[in-house]
Amino acid sequence: MAKVKTVFACTACGAVSPKWAGQCPDCGAWNTLQETVQTPAARGPTLVRGQYAGDRGVQSLHQVPTDAELRFTTGLGELDRVLGGGLVEGAVILLGGDPGIGKSTLLLQALALLSQQLPALYVTGEESLRQVALRAGRLGLQSDKLKVLAETSVEAILQVAQSEAPRVMVIDSVQTVYTEHLQSAPGSVAQVRESAAHLVRYAKQTGTVLFLVGHVTKEGTLAGPRVLEHMVDTVLYFESESGSRYRLLRAVKNRFGAVNELGVFAMDDSGLKQVANPSAIFLSRHDGDVSGSVVMVTREGSRPLLVEVQALVADSSLSNPRRVALGLDGNRMAMLLAVLQRHGGISTFGQDVFLNVVGGVRLSETASDLPALMAVLSSLRDRPIPAECVVFGEIGLAGEIRPVPHGEERLREAAKHGFKRAVVPHKNAPRRGAIKGLDVVLVQRLSDAIDALF
Ligand code: TYD
Ligand code: MG
């Protein structure tokens, strides 16, 4: 028998090296090299000529038929929104998330709805069919047309898929499946990559929509190699703040739509419910005015959302005071504190500064600059900002307040929720005249905003 040869593969990037090292020489990640059995190149060629992605030969681009971008809805509006308006034929979607967050529940619900219109197949490698059936029963799903399979061999799955010809297929999860071409254990880098490659190729060739469920590591990235994210069309993350019943579905990559869309669900004892109007769920309702809290209107994807930015500024005993930002960019916070010092004349050198966005929302847009800084100031001075006031705007390094996109829509959303006052960039003045019930204060410089609020 030939001697078994082992190599060390990085669990982050998939690079192999002959010797173990503390740091991956390729991607620089620490403690990610794992010993795996090296296998000879799979005999079945991984890339069959003329078969990849189902197309053959060279054509000019305008001759390629494009009427195929037919979108069909999943029946869950929030999922469709994050997918960019529904499913596209042959799309491969990777759904990541912590254990117990509700990935299986979400896909089972979506697939039960889809199975009413299209052939659908749910493949589970983690649960028994009995468990899946019990869950479907508890969720009250109409499951008469939904096909289920408990299987972990990719070859067996694809054989079933070929005879059943589903239009939508779920693999729960990609870490439990294995291909017989490789000898390494399911969940190892090589297996995950190779199994996913087989499944993706099948999806592209047949136009089947494929959902892959992926586990998330302690560090919050998808377990298995990052290459998985490159192989699929769409990467979705399902997440929540610990203890909250709300679940956020977010796209981090999408070849068929925008990536800043946010889908909101609530988990209760009968499964996931869509939250179609999530605008105000992220506000913590205080009994009175509290300092360090500012409500802003963000625009995640295609709809405005009211969120609360909180700050805590406390005297520090450290020579290097702490700066912690949750849900906001830490570098941006450092920059904003420098602007506050230079253009507002207010320094926080001796204080720890903590910033947090309520409800586990992550803000990536610059409209959070002004609310974040106003929350810091409110906490520093222990002066509450009235609860019926909203703030948004970008801050430039020269202390100017810059406009943000869709200002008017944000203002109308705030007015709809009963806010009475808004402190916003000068250039975001509503064009279509005054907004009923909302006193809009326009500011041009940081000092104007400070004067308006304190
Ligand atoms: P699950 O979909 O199994 O999570 P994942 O596949 O992401 O690991 O979700 C399991 C969790 O959801 C579990 O903690 C219980 C909760 N849950 C409910 O609260 N209500 C329900 O109706 C269901 C089915 C699950
Ligand atoms: Mg699961």
Side-chain angles (χ1 to χ4, degrees):
M1 219 178 100
K3 191 166 164 273
V4 177
K5 208 174 154 208
T6 61
V7 291
F8 294 84
C10 171
T11 53
C13 69
V16 288
S17 48
K19 275 196 284 194
W20 186 86
Q23 187 181 21
C24 170
D26 230 43
C27 68
W30 289 93
N31 283 329
T32 53
L33 292 197
Q34 274 179 8
E35 188 168 15
T36 50
V37 179
Q38 193 183 35
T39 42
R43 229 168 293 122
T46 45
L47 225 166
V48 182
R49 239 179 89 209
Q51 279 189 1
Y52 187 70
D55 288 325
R56 272 151 235 266
V58 178
Q59 300 178 22
S60 36
L61 189 55
H62 79 275
Q63 286 173 343
V64 179
T66 50
D67 48 41
E69 213 208 68
L70 259 180
R71 296 212 176 224
F72 44 97
T73 68
T74 59
L76 290 172
E78 293 294 293
L79 179 58
D80 288 342
R81 166 198 299 285
V82 179
L83 289 169
L87 294 167
V88 181
E89 253 184 26
V92 181
I93 301 139
L94 181 63
L95 175 66
D98 290 329
I101 198 85
K103 301 180 292 296
S104 306
T105 309
L106 176 71
L107 291 181
L108 193 62
Q109 284 184 238
L111 218 59
L113 287 168
L114 273 166
S115 67
Q116 297 301 314
Q117 328 152 20
L118 307 161
L121 177 65
Y122 182 94
V123 182
T124 174
E126 303 197 331
E127 292 164 283
S128 66
L129 291 183
R130 210 178 99 82
Q131 278 175 303
V132 177
L134 281 173
R135 184 196 304 235
R138 196 149 44 83
L139 297 172
L141 299 178
Q142 202 178 352
S143 51
D144 49 336
K145 296 197 183 117
L146 177 59
K147 298 273 169 53
V148 286
L149 170 72
E151 179 60 71
T152 53
S153 153
V154 170
E155 283 74 21
I157 292 171
L158 290 183
Q159 209 160 31
V160 173
Q162 244 136 30
S163 60
E164 293 285 331
R167 297 281 305 280
V168 187
M169 180 158 78
V170 170
I171 306 290
D172 189 0
S173 65
V174 70
Q175 272 92 8
T176 55
V177 294
Y178 70 96
T179 161
E180 283 147 20
H181 287 306
L182 296 185
Q183 282 157 13
S184 41
S188 68
V189 186
Q191 273 295 0
V192 169
R193 191 174 44 194
E194 204 48 37
S195 309
H198 279 287
L199 292 164
V200 168
R201 206 172 313 123
Y202 170 80
K204 297 291 173 198
Q205 280 169 11
T206 57
T208 311
V209 176
L210 178 66
F211 281 96
L212 299 173
V213 174
H215 292 179
V216 163
T217 60
K218 281 199 291 285
E219 291 77 37
T221 53
L222 280 161
R226 285 305 288 270
V227 287
L228 213 52
E229 297 194 5
H230 296 288
M231 284 160 54
V232 302
D233 299 309
T234 303
V235 180
L236 305 180
Y237 274 92
F238 206 32
E239 52 196 25
S240 92
E241 204 190 21
S242 56
S244 162
R245 70 191 190 94
Y246 290 111
R247 304 281 188 267
L248 303 181
L249 186 66
R250 161 195 321 274
V252 294
K253 163 183 173 179
N254 193 355
R255 287 184 185 151
F256 307 115
V259 288
N260 50 0
E261 289 288 357
L262 197 65
V264 184
F265 295 87
M267 176 71 96
D268 64 18
D269 51 4
S270 56
L272 288 162
K273 296 268 158 21
Q274 304 187 66
V275 184
N277 185 8
S279 195
I281 62 171
F282 298 113
L283 303 183
S284 53
R285 308 199 184 274
H286 305 290
D287 290 334
D289 291 345
V290 294
S291 58
S293 155
V294 174
V295 176
M296 73 167 288
V297 194
T298 179
R299 201 168 181 285
E300 283 284 346
S302 56
R303 63 184 167 187
L305 201 65
L306 290 160
V307 294
E308 181 178 334
V309 181
Q310 294 183 332
L312 179 68
V313 181
D315 287 341
S316 179
S317 57
L318 303 170
S319 58
N320 226 343
R322 299 194 66 182
R323 304 271 181 260
V324 179
L326 295 172
L328 292 159
D329 181 22
N331 288 332
R332 190 127 196 124
M333 166 184 176
M335 189 195 90
L336 291 173
L337 292 178
V339 175
L340 182 66
Q341 197 256 324
R342 179 72 172 69
H343 297 283
I346 299 154
S347 75
T348 50
F349 293 140
Q351 277 95 8
D352 291 330
V353 180
F354 302 92
L355 267 176
N356 179 37
V357 184
V358 171
V361 181
R362 266 191 280 134
L363 300 177
S364 49
E365 58 160 12
T366 53
S368 59
D369 288 357
L370 191 57
L373 216 44
M374 292 304 108
V376 167
L377 206 53
S378 163
S379 175
L380 182 69
R381 297 191 171 167
D382 200 14
R383 293 260 306 272
I385 287 175
E388 79 270 14
C389 182
V390 293
V391 181
F392 59 82
E394 176 178 336
I395 299 181
L397 285 182
E400 81 277 21
I401 310 290
R402 308 176 44 165
V404 295
H406 308 282
E408 183 151 354
E409 192 190 339
R410 297 181 203 237
L411 289 172
R412 291 192 187 279
E413 184 70 17
K416 207 169 88 190
H417 286 274
F419 285 85
K420 304 268 186 310
R421 197 157 176 251
V423 177
V424 303
H426 188 71
K427 292 213 180 89
N428 278 131
R431 281 202 209 101
R432 283 181 278 148
I435 292 171
K436 207 164 145 251
L438 193 71
D439 171 23
V440 181
V441 183
L442 301 170
V443 292
Q444 255 176 323
R445 303 206 45 84
L446 181 58
S447 49
D448 301 343
I450 296 176
D451 292 343
L453 287 164
F454 296 97

